[in-house]
Amino acid sequence: MEQTASTVSATQSMAGTNNSGASATTVVPSGPYLDFLTDYHIGDHAGMLGLLVSVVGLWLTYNEAKKSRTAAEAARDAAKDARRGRLLVDVSMDLAAIYDQLVRLKQTVRGDEWGSISGQIDALCRDLEAVRQAMLDGSTPDFSDSECGVVADASAKLREFENLLTRKNAKPPNDAKSEAALQRQVTIPLTTVIDSVTSLQHKARLISGKR
C-alpha cells in the first residue's frame, strides 16, 4: 500500500515537472519575412522615416503660415499707404481751395462792401478745421504738431479779423489813417495767414506727388 502511494506521488511529481517545462517554453513565430524585418531593423527605420515626415510636415505648415502672415501684413500696409496717399491729396486740394477763399476775403476787406465777411470767415474756419483734423490723422504722420498748430492759429486769427471788421460802427476805410490801421490790423496779418497756408499746401502737394 505504501509502495503504491509512493508510485503515485512520483508519477504526479513527474507530471508537474513536465507541465512546468511546457509553460516556461514560449513559441516564437518565425519565417523569412519576420527574419528579414528583424535582420534589417525595418521597424526602427520606419519609425525614423515617420519622424522625418512629421518634421517636414511641420516645417511646411510653418512656412505656409509665415507666408500667409507676410502677405496679410503687406496687404494691410498697402491699404494704409493708399489711404495715406488719398488723405495727402485731399489736404493739398483743400488747402488750395482755402487759399482761393483767403484771397477773396482779402479782396473783400480792401473793398467797400463788408457784409459778406462773416459768412466768408465762417466757411474758412470750417474748412480749416477739417484740414487740421486730416493732418492729425494717424495715417498721415507727414505734418508736425507745429504745422497743425499753424492751421489752428489761422482760424483764431480769422476770428479776430471778424471781430474787428463786423463790430459796431466798423466800415471800410475812407481816409489814409483808417487805411493804415486796416493794413496793420487786418491786411498784413491776413497776408501772413495766406503765406502759411500756401506753404502747407505746397508741402502736401510735394509729398503726395512723391508717392
Side-chain angles (χ1 to χ4, degrees), residues 31-80:
Y33 178 69
L34 291 177
D35 291 342
F36 172 78
L37 294 179
T38 303
D39 293 342
Y40 290 93
H41 305 285
I42 299 302
D44 295 339
H45 296 324
M48 294 179 63
L49 181 60
L51 177 61
L52 178 61
V53 170
S54 298
V55 171
V56 172
L58 287 173
W59 181 83
L60 290 175
T61 301
Y62 169 77
N63 197 42
E64 288 299 320
K66 185 177 180 180
K67 287 181 179 179
S68 299
R69 183 171 62 253
T70 301
E73 291 174 351
R76 184 173 62 252
D77 291 342
K80 183 178 179 180

Side-chain angles (χ1 to χ4, degrees), residues 47-165:
M48 294 179 63
L49 181 60
L51 177 61
L52 178 61
V53 170
S54 298
V55 171
V56 172
L58 287 173
W59 181 83
L60 290 175
T61 301
Y62 169 77
N63 197 42
E64 288 299 320
K66 185 177 180 180
K67 287 181 179 179
S68 299
R69 183 171 62 253
T70 301
E73 291 174 351
R76 184 173 62 252
D77 291 342
K80 183 178 179 180
D81 193 59
R83 182 172 182 268
R84 180 182 175 188
R86 288 195 302 270
L87 280 173
L88 283 169
V89 172
D90 291 343
V91 167
S92 177
M93 294 178 64
D94 290 344
L95 287 171
I98 288 171
Y99 169 82
D100 292 338
Q101 290 174 267
L102 287 169
V103 170
R104 288 195 296 271
L105 176 62
K106 188 175 181 179
Q107 293 171 347
T108 301
V109 170
R110 287 177 171 175
D112 297 328
E113 180 54 52
W114 287 0
S116 64
I117 284 179
S118 289
Q120 292 183 57
I121 290 178
D122 284 342
L124 276 165
C125 289
R126 286 195 302 270
D127 293 344
L128 284 168
E129 178 58 22
V131 167
R132 190 180 73 86
Q133 291 298 327
M135 292 170 66
L136 288 172
D137 190 284
S139 61
T140 57
D142 300 288
F143 299 98
S144 64
D145 292 340
S146 61
E147 288 171 328
C148 294
V150 167
V151 178
D153 291 343
S155 294
K157 185 62 67 175
L158 288 171
R159 289 304 183 186
E160 291 180 12
F161 299 157
E162 182 181 20
N163 291 334
L164 285 170
L165 299 174

Side-chain angles (χ1 to χ4, degrees), residues 166-177:
T166 60
R167 66 186 177 184
K168 187 177 180 179
N169 298 324
K171 59 183 179 179
N174 53 11
D175 55 36
K177 183 178 180 181

